Amino acid sequence: MTVKLRESKRIGSRHHEKRRGRRMNSRVPVRLEWDDESGKRISVEGHTRVVNPYGCMLVLAESLELEHRLALSNLATDTSNAAIIVWKGNQRPDGWEYGVELWPPEMDFWGLEL
């Protein structure tokens, strides 16, 4: 069986990869925490669907706005990093899809070789 891999970007090409790092489908248990409008601390647990050195894609039942700041904890490695919502996707049966960027990113945050 032959597997076609994505070709490297050509200099001057109109089409190129826009992502900063390699992505990996990975189900990492996480906790997100933030303060609501009244100052109450909200904490929810979930899991990622995709990770890269700069953040992740996950699904949450809560509806958050773009640029919402939060703390993201990797429960598998017991590490935490400041993060921000940078993309809000479709609502799925289990919640909203979100793109979360680590700020600033710790390159070994996921405990994976990316």
Side-chain angles (χ1 to χ4, degrees), residues 22-24 51 53 107-108 110-114:
R22 299 188 108 168
R23 296 182 299 169
M24 176 185 284
V51 298
M107 290 296 134
D108 61 346
W110 299 111
L112 301 168
E113 195 67 36
L114 297 172

Side-chain angles (χ1 to χ4, degrees), residues 10-63:
R10 292 182 185 155
I11 303 289
S13 173
R14 286 184 0 173
H15 304 287
H16 60 276
E17 181 66 38
K18 294 181 182 180
R19 301 198 186 278
R20 293 182 283 173
R22 299 188 108 168
R23 296 182 299 169
M24 176 185 284
N25 291 338
S26 186
R27 189 178 175 105
V28 178
V30 294
R31 178 183 309 114
L32 291 94
E33 297 178 288
W34 66 91
D35 295 329
D36 69 8
E37 298 82 25
S38 67
K40 180 182 173 192
R41 190 71 166 176
I42 307 296
S43 178
V44 297
E45 291 189 8
H47 62 273
T48 63
R49 297 220 170 143
V50 177
V51 298
N52 79 14
Y54 301 95
C56 65
M57 194 279 274
L58 49 80
V59 176
L60 290 177
E62 288 75 16
S63 180

Side-chain angles (χ1 to χ4, degrees), residues 61-79:
E62 288 75 16
S63 180
L64 301 173
E65 298 299 320
L66 289 177
E67 299 185 13
H68 191 97
R69 297 183 184 278
L70 45 88
L72 177 66
S73 297
N74 179 338
L75 300 178
T77 61
D78 199 30
T79 56

